[in-house]
Amino acid sequence: RLGIDGLSIGPILFTGFITTLATLAAWPVTRDSRLFHFLMLAMYSGQIGSFSSRDLLLFFIMWELELIPVYLLLCMWGGKKRLYSATKFILYTAGGSVFLLMGVLGVALYGSNEPTLNFETLVNQSYPVVLEITFYIGFFIAFAVKLP
């Protein structure tokens, strides 16, 4: 499920603005320019999908799918050590993905008779304090690694 609410409209608009600026700044790219712009749009689509997802599994999938175009952009149009940088990027984000996946599955599977990934249902869910802190630490590590 996808949807836009008052919390997600700001990041969506900001992402559109920043992506437009990045695309305009990269206007001089002449080598495989169509592929470059396709990868920029694919990255933008993943970001919009992650901001507008109403389901934890869809959020996780969109968050991971946006990393593929970023990796390809780094590999093809990066600086001098672009392959080294792209490999490090994918290794760090894969490590962060493990924490994100554990947090998503933990939140979804704990505390109800029927496992759910729906945000509206999970908002009303209550968890023990120790488990909440564990989920918080997992999500914090994942986002601290993946956000930059």
Side-chain angles (χ1 to χ4, degrees), residues 59-74:
F59 171 78
F60 177 75
I61 290 170
M62 294 305 252
W63 187 276
E64 295 303 317
L65 283 179
E66 76 174 289
L67 298 176
I68 296 168
V70 174
Y71 173 76
L72 293 173
L73 284 167
L74 281 173

Side-chain angles (χ1 to χ4, degrees), residues 16-61:
F17 177 70
I18 293 296
T19 303
T20 303
L21 285 180
T23 305
L24 290 174
W27 195 262
V29 171
T30 56
R31 183 175 57 97
D32 295 330
S33 64
R34 285 197 279 175
L35 178 61
F36 177 83
H37 292 296
F38 170 76
L39 290 173
M40 288 291 285
L41 284 174
M43 179 185 66
Y44 177 62
S45 299
Q47 291 168 348
I48 296 299
S50 65
F51 287 132
S52 63
S53 64
R54 308 299 295 158
D55 185 90
L56 268 178
L57 183 63
L58 183 62
F59 171 78
F60 177 75
I61 290 170

Side-chain angles (χ1 to χ4, degrees), residues 96-116:
S97 296
V98 171
F99 288 100
L100 185 60
L101 183 61
M102 288 188 322
V104 165
L105 291 178
V107 167
L109 297 176
Y110 183 83
S112 67
N113 298 335
E114 189 175 314
T116 183

